[in-house]
Amino acid sequence: MSESPVTAPVCYRHPSKETYVRCTRCDRPICPDCMNAASVGHQCPECVAEGRRTQRSARTAFGGSLAGRAGVATRTLIGINVAVMIFSVITGGMGAVGGGGWGGLLGQSTPLTDWGSVIGYATYGPGQTELHGIAAGEWYRLVTAMFLHFGVLHLLLNMYALWILGRELEAVLGRLRFVGLYLLAGLGGNVAAYVLGAPIQSTAGASTAVFGLMSAIFVILKRLNLSVAPILPVIVINVIFSFAVANISWQGHIGGLVVGAVVAVILAYAPSKNRNLIQGVGCALVLVALLTLTVMRTAALLG
């Protein structure tokens, strides 16, 4: 009686290929085309896909994605600010580059800054007859102002600070939380400029958001039990500078500083249980508070 020939196992996905390698997870035979290196042995494509679905992705200490380490959001925000500056120069001519305050180092206003800067309630333009400002219904100024600058030097100072501070915060918070912090701090500074400043005062610049990043780094360092020595002198010097130099909106800087700190506390001190929900609700409450202050200020100006 003859024995049946022993056949070699074949790949479960490619029956024409013989193989003696098996998936370490499901034990099915797999050929070289189907092998995926694992910590021990190899796994088949289906087991790799299942592992990706069930494995929790690595997160930062504050619940953010590790993708923030690439600094994409910081670069994008800088790109937006630069693009807006270029458009401002196009609409306003070379006077937008320099020729304003600080001995001619700051640029003059342009049609774009007139359209998007924070201003409470004023008339300007041909004939000085048309009412403009947030109280006149132009609420978009609370957002657009944080991307507008008076001159290239104004832009460069803020973008340098954003580059230094933004990458650090984006790495520890993740992209989404970092962008939320940036926008809320910028909005908070602009609301403060609207509420505390003169109705005819025009302000713009990313410094409202940048001041928020400064205070946020202070909070993050405290939360991680690290020394605040690197950021504390920077905050103190910039606060003094805000009050000592004319034509700087100290209201916007202090507003951004305070709101940035509040948002950072929400993001950094939220308990791990239901962290995303607590962070989201906390940031939403900050937004509601800022909008409430804006409504109250508008009512006071129109009353």
Side-chain angles (χ1 to χ4, degrees), residues 4-170:
S4 59
V6 178
T7 58
V10 296
C11 176
Y12 81 100
R13 298 178 75 238
H14 302 99
S16 62
K17 296 183 178 180
E18 296 181 353
T19 181
Y20 287 94
V21 178
R22 292 181 176 272
C23 174
T24 55
R25 188 168 181 175
C26 67
D27 201 40
R28 289 181 292 189
I30 49 177
C31 68
D33 292 337
C34 300
M35 294 178 188
N36 290 275
S39 56
V40 177
H42 297 82
Q43 291 184 6
C44 66
E46 280 78 4
C47 288
V48 171
E50 178 64 22
R52 288 173 178 168
R53 285 193 298 268
T54 58
Q55 184 180 13
R56 295 182 61 183
S57 58
R59 314 294 290 182
T60 70
F62 308 110
S65 169
L66 294 181
R69 294 176 178 176
V72 173
T74 300
R75 290 181 173 87
T76 300
L77 289 170
I78 292 174
I80 293 173
N81 279 276
V82 171
V84 172
M85 184 69 223
I86 292 174
F87 187 60
S88 185
V89 172
I90 292 174
T91 62
M94 291 308 295
V97 177
W102 290 8
L105 293 177
L106 294 185
Q108 300 170 349
S109 62
T110 70
L112 190 62
T113 57
D114 289 342
W115 168 82
S117 61
V118 170
I119 190 168
Y121 199 51
T123 58
Y124 61 82
Q128 300 286 319
T129 57
E130 187 176 355
L131 279 169
H132 289 281
I134 298 166
E138 298 171 346
W139 281 45
Y140 64 85
R141 292 175 178 269
L142 294 172
V143 177
T144 55
M146 73 179 82
F147 297 102
L148 290 166
H149 292 86
F150 294 109
V152 173
L153 178 62
H154 190 201
L155 172 73
L156 292 177
L157 290 173
N158 283 329
M159 291 306 98
Y160 176 74
L162 174 55
W163 176 249
I164 298 299
L165 303 173
R167 289 177 300 161
E168 297 296 328
L169 282 169
E170 187 180 353

Side-chain angles (χ1 to χ4, degrees), residues 177-201:
R177 288 164 177 79
F178 166 69
V179 172
L181 166 68
Y182 183 91
L183 294 178
L184 283 174
L187 178 64
N190 290 338
V191 169
Y194 175 49
V195 172
L196 301 176
I200 61 174
Q201 178 181 344

